[in-house]
Amino acid sequence: MTEGLEYTGFVEDGGTPDEDELVCEFYLKHVDSVEFDWASGAVAAESSIGTWDPSLTTMRDGIREMGARVVEMDTDAGDGRNDGVARIAYPTELFEPGSIPQILSSVAGNIFGLSEVVNLRLKDVVFPSELVESFAGPALGIGTIRSRVDAEDRPVVGTIVKPKLGLRPDEHAEVAYEGWVGGLDVVKDDENLADMSFNGFDDRVEATLEAKREAEEETGEQKLYFPNITASGDEMKKRADVVLQNGGDYVMVDILTAGWGALHEIRDYVGDDVGIHGHRAGHAAFTRLPYHGVSMLAVAKFARLCGVDNLHAGAVVGKMEGGRDEVVEIYDFLRSDRGIKTTIPVASGGLHPGVVGDVVDILGSETVVQAGGGVHGHPDGTRAGGRAMREAAESAGEGVSVEERAEESEALATALEKWGTE
Ligand code: CAP
Ligand code: MG
């Protein structure tokens, strides 16, 4: 093999990443026929400048130095499923500024299929500030979102219109109206509701934004509606136009099924006054196995750079899988100062008024807490479900127990009777 292009030539154990380098942390398990350093080097090579045949006649001076370096190997971190952790540093010039697709084609691309690895997980990515600055980032930031709905001292509360598919536009708008008038700040479309034969996008948006205005008039509160514009990039722009023409100020995108390129496009198109609600449908296909794929923390980093204002990030309690430590780490990241605006984490999935206090205890109140079944399944209907969620959010913000609050709220008492507090 040509000197310097062997995979172990990409290993500089004990090296220090430069400040302007991007650093990735991988868990990996390698096949028995190679050692950890060889497999780590293979990952560094394939995700930067290399290929399987090291004796490239096209290699010239200067290119080799652009290769990624394995700067740390920790085989003590092995746990059977993994042989250890490798930290890899990448020179910034390997990356196109402002392009998540290009970055992922490098650091989360071919490497997952390399024959040297049995499984591989991109655990974390740390971006240098030069790259961070090349992205738009969120338009609004957590403070703006909370103040828009006057929820500075409690979590923002919302619902997902259910049944997730099947309602006509007028029915959808009516359910939304009931939720808002009950006390919810937010109503959103579900992830698989787009432009359907039974519920056309334009008609739904027109009717639901009209219902929002009526609810705002009736309650004296500002409300938010997140219509799901997920489609091709061009179609999403047309749908965003419909939202804006009807007085909307937020769009929702299924960021993983629509794709990062389309997300960049829509962030650029809607500009700095319109919020983007990011649904992560499909993430568990590659985030769920702890020893393979891409972590949700890494996904959250990409989403924030791309300009997602609200991101589904797990709830710890509820129907969706998600370990406490990991979810807390993601929430902390989304709220931390990184040189771009913050993203508000969204807790959702199997929630109801009885668990809002737990969500806030674990994850804090700079959060959007959403319930679909836990609002529309209320025995007295959506309006009472919305009221119960609002009461639960207010009591969580005040540090009052939900049971105590329920003594003054019939809607909340009924919700607790049905669903309990777990
Ligand atoms: C919740 C939800 C959300 C999930 C997504 C659903 O409805 O609308 O899409 O929360 O999961 O379709 O399941 P319910 P995550 O309140 O009725 O459960 O937030 O983990 O990405
Ligand atoms: Mg949903």
Side-chain angles (χ1 to χ4, degrees):
M1 286 191 165
T2 304
E3 187 58 31
L5 253 186
E6 284 201 29
Y7 286 150
T8 45
F10 286 80
V11 177
E12 191 190 306
D13 197 14
T16 316
D18 295 338
E19 234 176 57
D20 63 350
E21 286 186 311
L22 180 147
V23 180
C24 291
E25 199 172 289
F26 292 98
Y27 270 142
L28 75 85
K29 184 170 186 66
H30 54 81
V31 293
D32 290 342
S33 54
V34 302
E35 298 296 325
F36 192 86
D37 60 348
W38 183 272
S40 307
V43 170
E46 183 63 38
S47 57
S48 59
I49 62 166
T51 183
W52 63 273
D53 184 343
S55 54
L56 303 177
T57 56
T58 46
M59 189 61 69
R60 63 160 167 73
D61 288 353
I63 297 183
R64 178 64 194 81
E65 288 64 41
M66 290 170 67
R69 293 170 298 135
V70 180
V71 290
E72 191 184 319
M73 295 184 294
D74 180 5
T75 47
D76 289 340
D79 61 6
R81 289 285 203 173
N82 290 290
D83 294 318
V85 171
R87 284 178 78 226
I88 300 182
Y90 297 82
T92 316
E93 63 186 321
L94 291 171
F95 303 115
E96 179 183 334
S99 174
I100 289 296
Q102 189 275 335
I103 294 172
L104 295 197
S105 293
S106 298
V107 304
N110 293 354
I111 49 178
F112 294 108
L114 281 178
S115 58
E116 281 85 358
V117 299
V118 178
N119 47 260
L120 177 72
R121 181 167 180 84
L122 176 56
K123 266 186 82 196
D124 197 3
V125 188
V126 178
F127 287 83
S129 50
E130 189 187 321
L131 262 186
V132 171
E133 283 158 18
S134 70
F135 288 90
L140 307 179
I142 294 177
T144 304
I145 295 161
R146 293 181 91 197
S147 77
R148 275 198 186 176
V149 292
D150 202 13
E152 273 110 338
D153 48 10
R154 61 169 174 85
V156 176
V157 270
T159 191
I160 314 100
V161 174
K162 303 277 177 179
K164 61 193 343 178
L165 293 184
L167 294 174
R168 294 190 309 263
D170 58 322
E171 293 169 328
H172 184 99
E174 178 61 21
V175 172
Y177 175 80
E178 289 292 305
W180 280 315
V181 169
L184 298 174
D185 307 303
V186 167
V187 173
K188 63 176 282 292
D189 292 354
D190 224 319
E191 70 282 346
N192 53 352
L193 181 65
D195 185 23
M196 322 302 289
S197 58
F198 54 85
N199 190 335
F201 181 84
D202 295 12
D203 290 346
R204 176 170 79 255
V205 166
E206 193 184 328
T208 309
L209 284 170
E210 180 53 34
K212 177 169 100 79
R213 278 187 289 278
E214 286 168 20
E216 285 173 335
E217 216 162 278
E218 185 160 340
T219 59
E221 296 177 338
Q222 195 175 336
K223 305 292 185 182
L224 297 172
Y225 173 44
F226 307 153
N228 185 3
I229 65 169
T230 302
S232 68
D234 272 353
E235 189 56 39
M236 286 207 288
K237 290 184 199 166
K238 288 185 198 150
R239 292 182 193 177
D241 284 341
V242 171
V243 175
L244 300 183
Q245 282 154 14
N246 282 283
D249 54 10
Y250 241 101
V251 294
M252 165 178 161
V253 179
D254 296 340
I255 58 173
L256 298 171
T257 57
W260 299 108
L263 182 59
H264 280 318
E265 211 175 328
I266 203 67
R267 168 68 181 88
D268 193 40
Y269 187 70
V270 298
D272 285 336
D273 294 320
V274 176
I276 298 177
H277 180 92
H279 196 290
R280 59 177 182 165
H283 77 95
F286 53 85
T287 63
R288 188 159 184 172
L289 296 181
Y291 49 88
H292 188 74
V294 178
S295 72
M296 186 57 211
L297 175 64
V299 172
K301 292 190 171 188
F302 308 144
R304 183 170 168 190
L305 288 171
C306 279
V308 167
D309 290 283
N310 315 354
L311 180 67
H312 284 245
V316 183
V317 291
K319 76 179 186 188
M320 308 302 279
E321 190 272 342
R324 183 180 180 132
D325 291 351
E326 192 198 0
V327 176
V328 167
E329 190 179 10
I330 297 165
Y331 273 59
D332 287 348
F333 163 76
L334 291 174
R335 295 163 174 159
S336 62
D337 182 8
R338 301 283 160 147
I340 50 172
K341 287 188 180 159
T342 49
T343 295
I344 191 162
V346 178
S348 185
L351 303 182
H352 56 78
V355 295
V356 172
D358 288 346
V359 171
V360 171
D361 280 351
I362 300 167
L363 299 167
S365 55
E366 284 185 324
T367 308
V368 179
V369 182
Q370 295 176 172
V375 164
H376 313 295
H378 191 288
D380 299 322
T382 295
R383 189 183 292 218
R387 170 75 355 225
M389 278 296 283
R390 174 69 174 265
E391 304 270 0
E394 284 178 357
S395 64
E398 291 159 15
V400 170
S401 83
V402 77
E403 288 91 348
E404 195 179 327
R405 183 72 178 228
E407 287 168 18
E408 302 155 20
S409 165
E410 198 187 323
L412 186 53
T414 307
L416 298 190
E417 234 166 77
K418 177 169 182 185
W419 292 304
T421 54
E422 284 176 15

